[in-house]
Amino acid sequence: MGKLSVVAVGMCVTLSAWAQETPADFSTQVAMSVSGEGPWYRLELPLAVQLSARQADLSDVRVFNAAGEPQAYALSRQSPSHTESRDVTPVKWFPLYAADTQENLPGVVMKTTDEGTLVEIKPASVAKPGKQVLRGWVLDASAIKAPLQQLSLDWSHEQDGFQRFSIEASNDLQHWQAWGDGQVARLSFADERVEQHDVSLPGQSARYLRLVWQGQAAPLLTSAMLASATRSSLPLPLVWSQPLAGVRLTAGEYSWQLPTGLNVERLRVELKQPNTLAPVTLLGRSDARQTWQPLSKGLLYRLTQNGKDVMQDQLQLPGQTVAELKLQVDERGGGLGSEAPALRFAVRSTQLVFLARGEPPFTLALGNGAVKAANLPLSTLIPDYSTERLNALGQATLAGEVVLKPSAVAVSPPVGADWKKLGLWAVLLLGVAALGAMAYSLLRKPQGQP
């Protein structure tokens, strides 16, 4: 029976060699260059790569070396759900006054305790004659040690409308770092009240925040709260698509077909006309045979205020896989026009980490709807894996452009002979015949004959 084992092992080796994947099995190949310390390298996959894949979960992504040998790899999709703890803390606020709304931020003296708690803000010099205008607020976040994720404001009900302000952060009340702009709103529309109180922060630590209203007096605050969170790992950034054309279905209904099924997390709807106000409902589905499922609701607007556009053109999505989107617009606000607006979508960036083996150049290959996933967990690919270790890995970059295919549907094999499959079947049948002949020969031998 030893001969049978040898034959069986030989068959398995032969079949494995024939069935091994090669770059030619994939519709798209892009050369890569590597830099930094190996042998592990990480590549941030461009959105064009994800759109070229034939499988929404990127199961058909591979890496090959110069000899066409596959490389061990992992996919990293860190999401915002990796939050370890989240706290919402009410904070104190202190007013900033100036002579008029056009004046730069006034000079002030700020006093703190030994622990850093803000106790007083007063002008650095005698105020100029004239009416003093409230320009902004300083928030005391000295008691919060975790990174700041979100700011929530409430203000006097006599001051409805949009509130737009700049956000700055400091640890010493002397040096301030810009954290971007914030916008909150309280609106009434079509017998409904729309209120937006929350502003996203960059996830950094700071002891003080300074809010300065732009071109208008600041409202009287009634509440200020800061949400802080400690994360096991920060989420990868979002990557945005190019504008996608849609079609108008009926009055107030528009649809868009995505290049493939994608885990969309955010949408941006193009609002061409000023003074557009549109309550909308977004629906999606992953297949034309499925029923539409609600994904998001919101108020899109582009309004002129103090000579500037105030814009809200984005919708937040749950991140589930969708291939088709439909937007329903309440046309009591005037609608979005007779043509479907252009749409941009955003998905979470994905990093590919591979273990370089063999000689470069390395090739990224994708575009095969039939292959199964071959990626490993990061902790398996990198035995001593940690977030710090991941950030210190060598870098890989694409050395060429990814050519998008016109269809993301797997191409059916051509009608006719598939010589690779025929060869595999021939080897298999010959092996089975050989095994049968050997077994028959052994059974025919008389008892006791060697």
Side-chain angles (χ1 to χ4, degrees), residues 267-271 300 313-315 327 336 341-344:
L267 291 180
R268 180 179 293 149
V269 181
E270 183 182 33
L271 305 177
L300 304 179
D313 58 356
Q314 295 188 23
L315 294 172
L327 191 70
L336 296 180
L343 185 79
R344 293 176 184 261

Side-chain angles (χ1 to χ4, degrees), residues 234-448:
L234 292 175
L236 291 169
L238 293 173
V239 289
W240 287 90
S241 72
Q242 294 298 313
L244 182 67
V247 296
R248 180 174 181 266
L249 301 176
T250 61
E253 279 197 352
Y254 311 91
S255 71
W256 296 266
Q257 183 70 48
L258 303 185
T260 186
L262 294 168
N263 299 323
V264 180
E265 296 198 18
R266 197 169 298 175
L267 291 180
R268 180 179 293 149
V269 181
E270 183 182 33
L271 305 177
K272 287 186 175 181
Q273 295 182 336
N275 297 327
T276 296
L277 187 67
V280 297
T281 299
L282 182 73
L283 303 98
R285 60 186 181 185
S286 58
D287 190 287
R289 295 167 295 183
Q290 295 182 343
T291 58
W292 292 100
Q293 300 295 324
L295 298 177
S296 180
K297 295 182 67 175
L299 179 67
L300 304 179
Y301 53 81
R302 178 184 173 184
L303 304 172
T304 302
Q305 186 180 32
N306 298 324
K308 297 182 179 179
D309 274 350
V310 179
M311 185 91 70
Q312 173 54 45
D313 58 356
Q314 295 188 23
L315 294 172
Q316 191 80 28
L317 275 68
Q320 67 191 60
T321 302
V322 292
E324 192 174 357
L325 297 168
K326 180 167 68 172
L327 191 70
Q328 296 177 336
V329 181
D330 185 341
E331 294 207 316
R332 289 180 293 176
L336 296 180
S338 59
E339 296 182 358
L343 185 79
R344 293 176 184 261
F345 56 87
V347 299
R348 188 66 56 183
S349 176
T350 299
Q351 283 189 350
L352 181 146
V353 181
F354 70 95
L355 176 61
R357 180 174 58 89
E359 295 299 320
F362 298 99
T363 300
L364 177 72
L366 63 155
N368 187 325
V371 297
K372 295 182 179 180
N375 55 300
L376 299 170
L378 269 172
S379 57
T380 302
L381 183 71
I382 307 175
D384 55 347
Y385 166 74
S386 65
T387 302
E388 293 74 18
R389 179 71 187 279
L390 178 65
N391 294 333
L393 297 181
Q395 297 285 329
T397 56
L398 297 183
E401 294 292 329
V402 177
V403 180
L404 296 182
K405 303 300 178 182
S407 173
V409 180
V411 178
S412 301
V415 178
D418 187 333
W419 296 109
K420 187 175 181 179
K421 288 185 178 179
L422 289 177
L424 289 172
W425 276 107
V427 172
L428 179 62
L429 292 175
L430 288 173
V432 172
L435 288 173
M438 294 177 65
Y440 180 75
S441 175
L442 290 172
L443 291 174
R444 288 288 303 273
K445 287 183 179 181
Q447 293 287 340

Side-chain angles (χ1 to χ4, degrees), residues 198-212:
D198 301 332
V199 177
S200 296
L201 299 177
Q204 302 176 28
S205 297
R207 304 184 75 175
Y208 313 101
L209 295 184
R210 184 166 68 184
L211 315 180
V212 180

